[in-house]
Amino acid sequence: MERLVKAKGDVDAVVALYSQDLDPSGATHLRIAEELEAAGRAGEALMWAERGIRDCAAETYILAAWSTTCVPVMSILDRYGL
């Protein structure tokens, strides 16, 4: 399903697909942010990155998640000077 949606080039459909099953580690938020950033939608990418950090911080396995997911999400925030 993901390849079909991505092949159509509809970023909103990709976001809708990914957002149906958000990983509590923040990994899905990062994928959404990357898709939006690649489409030139930096403001929305930043929103998803921030949401991913909030959701990730709420998890009990935060240390493992930070090393694999939240650090890349934070790099997006750094890119925008936040």
Side-chain angles (χ1 to χ4, degrees), residues 17-55:
L17 178 67
Y18 288 163
S19 65
Q20 289 177 11
D21 187 25
L22 295 172
D23 188 315
S25 73
T28 317
H29 299 77
L30 176 60
R31 291 177 74 187
I32 292 170
E34 289 172 338
E35 291 289 337
L36 289 165
E37 185 177 28
R41 295 164 61 175
E44 292 171 83
L46 181 58
M47 180 200 73
W48 276 100
E50 289 173 335
R51 182 175 169 185
I53 289 172
R54 281 192 310 272
D55 290 356

Side-chain angles (χ1 to χ4, degrees), residues 3 5 13 16 28 32-33 37 40 49 51-53 57 60 67 72 79-80:
R3 286 193 301 185
V5 172
T28 317
I32 292 170
E37 185 177 28
R51 182 175 169 185
I53 289 172
T60 57
S67 65
R79 202 172 313 161
Y80 295 104

